[in-house]
Amino acid sequence: MAWLVLLLSGVLETVWAVALTNTKGFSRLVPTLVFAVALVLSMGGLAYAMRSIPIGTGYAVWVGIGAIGTALYGMTALGDPATAARIGCLLLIVSGVVGLKVLH
């Protein structure tokens, strides 16, 4: 259960990161509310998962999922460059996250 919560918390990290850019310095209400709710749920899920997953593993997986999701969102929705090098680096992050899960 902790790993599922950690996965969902990582996805929520992507949500709050994307919402943060849309707040325009916290001047827009709806994106600010989405940011705040996603942030609290993401951190709460991380805290729950760390009750049974070591801190180094849990935090690295959480950040990795959030970073991958945010980068993919940027490439697909915002026109960020999707170069072979960037995709290769994201695959390295994915391999690290999978490795941490397998070696746990």
Side-chain angles (χ1 to χ4, degrees), residues 24-64:
K24 305 295 184 205
F26 299 113
S27 65
R28 297 177 60 213
L29 180 61
V30 172
T32 299
L33 292 174
V34 170
F35 163 78
V37 169
L39 178 66
V40 168
L41 291 174
S42 180
M43 292 289 178
L46 177 61
Y48 172 82
M50 284 185 175
R51 289 166 44 187
S52 59
I53 298 172
I55 186 171
T57 300
Y59 185 73
V61 168
W62 180 75
V63 169

Side-chain angles (χ1 to χ4, degrees), residues 70-86:
T70 304
L72 290 175
Y73 178 83
M75 286 187 272
T76 58
L78 303 177
D80 290 353
T83 64
R86 289 187 77 178

